[in-house]
Structures are given as C-alpha cells and as structure tokens.
Amino acid sequence: MSDSSPGGPERRARELREALRHYSYLYYVRNQPEISDERFDELFLELKTLEEAHPEFVTPDSPTQRVGAAPLDGFETIEHAAPMLSLDSSADLEPLQRFDERMRKALGDDVAYVVEPKLDGASIELVYEGGRLSRAVTRGDGVRGEGVTENARTIQSVPLRLRDADRTMPGFLALRAEVIMRLGEFEALNARLLESDRAPFANPRNAAAGSLRQLDPRITAARPLDIYVYDILAIDGRPPPTQWETLEALRDWGLPVNERCRPAAGVEDILAFHAELEEGRDDLDYEIDGIVVKLDDMAARDEVGETSHHPRWAFALKFPPRNEVTRLLHIFPSVGRTGVVTPIAFMRPVELGGVTVSRANLHNREEVARKDIREGDRVRVQRAGDVIPQVLERIEEPGRERAEPWVMPAECPSCGTGLEPRGPYTFCPNLFACPAQLAGRIQHLGSRHALDIEGLGEETANLLVRQGLIEHLPRLFELEAETLMELEGFAEKSATNLVEAIAAARRTELARFIYGLGIPEVGVTVAGELASHFRSFEEFRAADDETLQTVDGIGPRMAEQITTFLARPVVSGLVDELRGFIDPVPPPRSGDALAGLRIVLTGWLETMSRSEAAKRLEAQGAKVTSSVSKQTSYVVAGENPGRKLERAQTLGVEILDEAGLLELLSGGGADDSGGSDVDDGSGEADAADRADASGEPGEA
Ligand code: IVH
C-alpha cells in the first residue's frame, strides 16, 4: 500500500516518523493533541508495517524502536556530566524565610524565583548528543549512577531525538529529570503484582525507581512511566540566562516540562503556590511532596554557589507527610478471587489527606510478622493518592500489654477448606468453588476488559453467590430474570437487563474470554497477544510451555503458570462448560477485508442485533464507533435510525441499509493466509487499555 506512495517507502517512513514525533510533542509537551489516539495508533502501525517490510529503512531513533534491546546482565556505572546535588529542604516555614533573606542580602531586593512542584519520583540524567538520546543514568550517589538507557527509551514521553524547529538544539545536552509513575498505573501494577504472588510497591516513587532498574527493558516498557525535565546539567554553547527561559527552551526541544511551574517574586508568592498545590494535591494523577523554589537568574546562581551537598540557590518546601497514627482494632483474612488470603487491618477511622480511612492492606502473613503488627497496636498508616492505605509501622507503647501475635487461620474463612502456604502468601485451594473465590471470579469474568457485562459488579456477584443462585461459574449463563427478580435490589427491568447483558456476552472477542478466565499472570495485554497468536481458543488451550513461549512477552514462568492452571481438572471441566455457552471471535488480521473501515450503526436491524453486527464487523477488521465524523466510512441505518443518520447526511458520509451491511459482511471473505496480526500488543492500545494493561513478560 504505502510502497506506492510518491517517493517510495523510504520517504513514507521518514514522513511517518516525523509526523509521529510531531504528534507526540503536541501530546506530551504542549498538552494540545491534534489527532485522536486511534489515528496515532494507525500511523504508528503503518510505520511498523512498513519497517517490517523494509528493515533497511529503520532508524535507531524511529518511534517504533523504543523496546528492542535484549536483557542486560547488570548495569554499567556511568559518571554524570555534572554532579546531581540534592536539595536543602524543610516542611517548616522558617528555613524558607531564612533562605529568602539570604538571597535578598546577596542579590538585592528584586530577586526573582521560579517555583515548581517537587515531583516525588526517581531522579535521572538524560544526555543528548547530536540531538539523539545517547544515555540515561540514575542519580546513584550524585556523582555516578547506573546506565538505564534502554529502559529510559521505553518511556513514551522521552524524545529519542530533540526538536530543532523552534530553537537551535545544542550539540550536547545533559538534563536532570524526574521519572514518575502515574497513580492509575501504579495501582494497576500493584494489583498485577499481588495477583501473581509478588510483593507490591509501597508507593509510586518506589515503583518508578524499581521499574527503571529492570534488567529487561520489556518489563520497564510494560510499566508505563512518565518524565518531567527541570534542569540543565551541562550544555555546549550558551545556556539560557534564566530558569524560566530554560524551561521554555526544554519545551522547544521537545522535552516535557511540568505545566505548573511559574515565576515568583517573594515569600508571599511562594506560599501562595505552596498552598495551591497542597490543596490540589489529590487532583493530580502523580505524587508531589512539596514545592521547589529556585533562583531564576543563572548568573545570580553562580554568585551564591553551592555546598558539597546542595545548591544555595534552591530550597524545597515540603508538604506534611500523608500518614497518621491510629489504633488497629482487628485483623481479618480476606479471600480474593485467585484464592489468595490477604490479612486486612480494620482500624479506628482516621483522616488522611482529606479521606477517612478505616481499612488497610497488610499483604501477607510474613508482612504482618515482619512488622510485628498485632490487634490493638497503635500503627502508622500511609496513603498515597487514591491508593489503598498501608500500615507502615507499629508505634511502640512502653508498658502497654499487647495481644498475641496474629496467626493466619488454618481454614478458609469463606469455605472452611484447609489453607495452604505458598511462600509468604496463603491460599485457599478450593479453586472456583469457595464462595469468596467464586464471587471474585464472577465479577472478573463480567469486568470491563473481560466479557464487559453491565450490572455484574462486586455487589451483585456476592449476592448471587450468597443466595445460592450460582454455585458453579457456568450457571451464570443460565440465570433467569424471574429468579433474579426475587433478589433484594432487583426489579423487573434490572433483572431483564442483566440477563440480556449476560446473553450478549456469549459472543465475545477471544482476548476478552482468555482474560476473563483469570489465568494467573494473564492480564489484558497478554490475553491480547495470546488471542492474536493462536486465533482460536482450542489452539491456545492445546499449546504446551514451549509453544507458549514463542508468543511475544511470554517467558518460561508465565508459560508454566498458564499450562498448570489450564491442566487442573477443575479448570479444564469448567472451561469445557463455559465453551458450551461462549463462542469467542478471533481478532482481525491486517489482511482482513474490512480493515481500516470505521463504521457507525444506528437503528433497529432485522437479521441480527446491533451488537452482533458490531462483533461481526470487528471480526473482519472494521472499527465500530458510536459517533459519526468525517472519518466515518459508512453509517449503517436500520429501522428508526437516530440522529446519526442526519449527521451522516450533513457530513456526506455514505449510508448503507441492512442489505448493504450483509453484503459488506459476506464480501469480506477474510483472507486467512496468515498475514501479520494487527494487534501488536506493544502497548499502543487505547487509553483505557493502557491503564491496566498487564504484560509482565516473565519476570523472574
Ligand atoms: S531541582 C540541584 N526541581 O527532589 C537542584 N528537583 O529531594 C536539583 N525533585 O533529587 C534539583 N522535583 O530528584 C528539582 N522541580 C524539581 C524537582 C526536583 C523533584 C527531586 C530531585 C531531587 C530531590 C531532592
């Protein structure tokens, strides 16, 4: 296709690279995206396909080349271009006032500052040589750190190449930046880690630092990180004369700068900024732990100089920490959907940064023992953003008599089966039958990235199990509206809606079905990879460890988890039964007849429901969307079409009737000769998917 574009594939590849860089810059640096995520993905896919056909045109700084390096044996120690000093800081006002007085004394009364959020992440040095990212080094001891270049390349907002369009780029540029993990990503990562029996990170900073220090760049790539750049460590040529101009220059070179930075004239401005950020702290989707005040004028910075630890021209005013002390009342073992039994702390309610907290996760019995937390103890609880609170530590109370150490019960609190320890964790082996696990499984199967059954949330799943309506997962598909109506909280309408939603879910995409089974380690991304690789559930199910490992992102550990799970007799019987109800559709191939079409459905169809039409169109590669735009290829109008038909007429979009739809579907005899798969699962999925895409490639 693109091979026929004027100038040939090489020129097209160059155009695509430039376009993708430009759109990333608008998105990450200017916060003014000009195209949809979908369009971006389409261009990315076009470039990827083109480069696959013509590997000779791949450049090292192509946007497709973010992940590619092989795992390392260890990190190289690299010296920074200039020392990465730390900051003088305090949560009290007085040291800040003294800082301001010192500056005024040295520089006069019209001293100018820049104030910035103090990002709570991992500090890193980025070096660009000839405009290309040549290395990334962790802060380490401030003089030298670890080379994590390949990992930094996986961060989408780190440009692989500097922009030269608005401001001449320097030949050499060493920067200081903060790598962060946004809260949504952090929570999703911890959920994944816990699900696969691994210890969660205590906060987003540790998660960012830990993800950056993975020897396998693919693991880093699966943990979406972000970056903000705030300082020039070294540059060839003349550096910008002020901090404010530095930030502008960094933006022009395509580097993401935090949008909240601003000029400040004195203590009053500084405190206003501090108050504003502290108040808005919960609305940010990343963690900050204070503000940083910096002299704006670079010449003035040289004048005041630095100590061996920190510059004299900057000061950090920290926020009070978001942790509190309260009393732990009770520890309760809670059984999750995979059978992991998690000790939960019930505490006297306490306010943490505006939210009342009464429960916290204690993770596993070894954590409880390690922190020596007992019922009745005074404990310090911490909350980071919207994250589930954690018990940080026990507070000593000399002379107070304590309860006995907490022990995990021998039997499952939900079904009474004997519990089994596995490493630090404890499991209820009554897979799928234990009521607590069953309710969790039902909820997971109905969740947004699985069968997406509206109305089947946690509460309903629990109710169905508690009332004995479902004792076995496949019974979900035999529920009747009449039975549901007898339950508390259900009326005729809600009961019918749920039954219909369950029926509609019987035709689902293969990836959703695989994900919905709740196989250990198999998150949304991995399920997508498996679906595009095997294209039929039976093929996937029959695959042995070795075959599974030929799938992108699947290592030996994950392969083994998958085969072991599927081979368990309970699971195998259950899957057989589920297959009797559910007939999953394989994902489209790039050679699919309808690939690239965007279709909107409106009105009542006679031969099939709209959702079935959508599934069949999607199975052949079309994209079915809900609103009509100029990009829409066809609007399919059934009986009593809605506004969408009018809009199609206004925009001049082609309109099909039901016969036209059927023709489109049958004309689309998909070419099954094995073209490459559309979904490359490289994390270029839509935003919702990004939020909790798993894809921990065989982390040992
Ligand atoms: S300036 C020599 N600006 O805070 C001055 N640091 O506790 C260089 N940090 O290690 C630091 N946000 O990693 C600066 N806007 C910001 C920052 C920032 C976060 C980090 C930095 C430093 C730590 C000190």
Side-chain angles (χ1 to χ4, degrees), residues 85 87 116-119 123 176 178 230 292 294 311 313:
L85 301 177
L87 276 172
E116 304 177 1
K118 185 167 175 331
L119 305 158
S123 196
R176 183 162 179 170
E178 202 80 0
Y230 49 70
V292 185
K294 303 174 179 178
W313 45 261

Side-chain angles (χ1 to χ4, degrees), residues 282-356:
D282 271 341
D283 300 329
L284 294 178
D285 67 347
Y286 51 89
E287 286 272 272
I288 55 176
D289 58 350
I291 64 164
V292 185
V293 185
K294 303 174 179 178
L295 273 186
D296 190 29
D297 189 65
M298 296 295 172
R301 285 188 185 185
D302 285 343
E303 231 169 278
V304 298
E306 51 207 36
T307 72
S308 57
H309 297 282
H310 55 79
R312 291 203 175 88
W313 45 261
F315 190 84
L317 185 58
K318 302 240 254 178
F319 295 142
R322 278 200 282 200
N323 63 51
E324 260 334 314
V325 172
T326 184
R327 181 128 352 244
L328 192 159
L329 304 172
H330 181 56
I331 301 175
F332 179 79
S334 159
V335 188
R337 107 174 117 84
T338 56
V340 188
V341 187
T342 308
I344 303 288
F346 286 81
M347 302 162 302
R348 183 162 297 151
V350 62
E351 271 250 329
L352 275 185
V355 177
T356 306

